[in-house]
Amino acid sequence: MSEMNTTQNTYPVYPGTPLRVGSSGSNVTTMQQYLNGLGVVYTGINRLSTDGKYGAMTRDAVRRFQKQFSLNADGVIGQNTWNAILAVYLSVAAYRPLDVTTSYPGVLSAGSSGDHVRFIQSYLNTVKRQYNFNWPTLTVDGRFGANTALAVAGYQSAYNLSIDGKVGRNTWASMIPEFNRVIKM
């Protein structure tokens, strides 16, 4: 297995076999470290122990990364995902984060749950922080509760959208590019 080399312009090379639940070793540790680094900007990606063991938490972080960057969300680090994690990590390290391309999942509202709710919670927190908007800071937990509805309504008000506290197509179409704009500031 290849080790992460920190020499200038030397980056970890895809090991030749996919990393998945049950994998272990230095390549898993490297990807866990990279995903944690990405989680600073893309807070919808859950934090990981960098223990070199590819378990359910690593799979979930990989899947969340894949969903935000239009990759096959299988939770496996194959060559495409390896290269994408490296490219996004390097862009963040260079203070030029790449745009998320998260696809519209359909209407999200009170009672909705899952990764797309995590993403909107993350995006709303990032926009709130940048402009000091007066909506609740959200726990990024994937559960669309009352505070998420309040934050969505606050976002809708701030961006002159129809205020209903739900993330429909128009709110989604506003929120993704706004998040992408803010992370570059």
Side-chain angles (χ1 to χ4, degrees):
M1 289 215 200
S2 65
E3 294 287 330
M4 182 175 160
N5 186 332
T6 58
T7 306
Q8 187 175 14
N9 296 328
T10 303
Y11 308 108
V13 176
Y14 178 66
T17 57
L19 302 177
R20 55 176 37 100
V21 172
S23 297
S24 62
S26 61
N27 287 310
V28 174
T29 301
T30 297
M31 289 294 106
Q32 289 170 329
Q33 290 168 339
Y34 276 40
L35 288 163
N36 280 342
L38 295 175
V40 172
V41 173
Y42 309 102
T43 60
I45 299 172
N46 51 290
R47 300 286 299 169
L48 298 168
S49 295
T50 54
D51 59 6
K53 297 175 185 169
Y54 202 119
M57 294 290 287
T58 300
R59 180 203 59 220
D60 291 347
V62 169
R63 188 173 33 81
R64 290 172 179 139
F65 170 84
Q66 291 167 325
K67 285 182 180 180
Q68 290 185 89
F69 292 95
S70 299
L71 297 165
N72 178 29
D74 60 4
V76 174
I77 301 176
Q79 189 163 8
N80 289 341
T81 297
W82 179 283
N83 292 339
I85 290 170
L86 181 59
V88 175
Y89 181 84
L90 292 173
S91 75
V92 168
Y95 302 101
R96 293 188 311 265
L98 297 180
D99 289 354
V100 296
T101 56
T102 317
S103 63
Y104 176 62
V107 175
L108 299 171
S109 60
S112 295
S113 62
D115 289 340
H116 285 87
V117 174
R118 285 182 70 92
F119 302 150
I120 63 163
Q121 290 167 331
S122 166
Y123 303 159
L124 286 164
N125 283 344
T126 299
V127 171
K128 171 190 170 54
R129 219 174 11 258
Q130 179 64 35
Y131 298 114
N132 200 29
F133 282 126
N134 191 27
W135 60 65
T137 299
L138 303 171
T139 301
V140 180
D141 61 6
R143 293 188 299 259
F144 199 122
N147 280 343
T148 300
L150 285 171
V152 169
Y155 178 90
Q156 290 168 328
S157 175
Y159 288 87
N160 298 313
L161 298 166
S162 179
I163 302 169
D164 62 5
K166 300 175 185 178
V167 180
R169 189 170 296 282
N170 291 338
T171 300
W172 186 269
S174 169
M175 195 178 296
I176 299 300
E178 183 59 13
F179 170 78
N180 287 329
R181 192 175 72 71
V182 166
I183 62 172
K184 290 176 176 62
M185 298 177 121

